[in-house]
Amino acid sequence: MLKIFTTQLVGYFNSIQEKEEIHIEDSSRAIAQAIVGDGHVYFHGFHEMMAVCYEAVLGQETLPKAKFLFEGGKKANLTSIDRLVIAASPNDHTDAISLAKEAKEQGVTVIGLSVEKDHGGNDSFISECDFHINIHLNSPLVPTDSGERICTPTVMAALYGYYALFLTTKEILDDYL
């Protein structure tokens, strides 16, 4: 089972790299603009996706000017020079949609990190983001002997998406500075 899990997970990482390259680059450019300027890069995740935020703000390899959107129960005062990265699963999470809408109304550039799902034109998290990185992992990876599938590591895929943003932003900053 572990070999199947690893093979499947690597396949999803490759899918993110190949299919989301342009979105990652565009998102990283927006993040780099905030870092080079007077803005900050705020992170917020819903449920298990807070792992991405902890890695981005407290991990060993963080982006400059990275902060939690909420600290001590208080929400940061966002401005148009800031960027907000929202990690959500699934992408139609109503709180994520509301947060993205609110941030956009304040002129903040919103970057979404979630699984993309088609909702037949309904409002979705993706439509509320200026940039969106699809983590592509929307179903369990490993078949069991009983025929069911288990292991849906969306956090691992989202962390891969974060590191793609981190590395690409670092490249842009290294070229600029």
Side-chain angles (χ1 to χ4, degrees), residues 26-109:
D26 290 344
S27 299
S28 292
R29 273 195 224 56
I31 289 170
Q33 288 172 346
I35 292 169
V36 170
D38 292 327
H40 290 91
V41 184
Y42 290 96
F43 286 84
H44 188 71
F46 292 93
H47 306 291
E48 75 277 13
M49 295 303 227
M50 275 301 294
V52 173
C53 306
Y54 286 111
E55 189 67 25
V57 177
L58 301 175
Q60 291 182 6
E61 296 164 319
T62 63
L63 290 167
K65 300 185 177 182
K67 296 182 170 204
F68 291 110
L69 179 62
F70 292 91
E71 287 199 74
K74 293 183 76 177
K75 183 178 167 198
N77 291 323
L78 299 173
T79 68
S80 61
I81 58 175
D82 296 321
R83 305 298 182 256
L84 174 59
V85 179
I86 302 172
S89 177
N91 72 352
D92 60 346
H93 193 287
T94 52
D95 292 336
I97 294 168
S98 296
L99 181 60
K101 280 182 183 180
E102 180 184 328
K104 281 180 68 174
E105 288 170 2
Q106 295 172 309
V108 176
T109 299

Side-chain angles (χ1 to χ4, degrees), residues 3-18 137 141 153 156 160:
K3 187 171 179 94
I4 292 169
F5 176 72
T6 302
T7 301
Q8 292 288 328
L9 192 57
V10 168
Y12 277 97
F13 289 170
N14 286 333
S15 185
I16 294 168
Q17 177 195 0
E18 293 166 8
L137 206 152
L141 302 179
M156 291 174 78
Y160 180 86

Side-chain angles (χ1 to χ4, degrees), residues 141-176:
L141 302 179
V142 182
T144 64
D145 291 339
S146 68
E148 71 174 319
R149 293 182 80 79
I150 58 173
C151 293
T152 311
T154 52
V155 171
M156 291 174 78
L159 284 168
Y160 180 86
Y162 164 72
Y163 275 106
L165 280 174
F166 170 81
L167 292 168
T168 306
T169 304
K170 183 170 178 8
E171 245 179 350
I172 292 168
L173 292 172
D174 288 349
D175 287 346
Y176 180 79

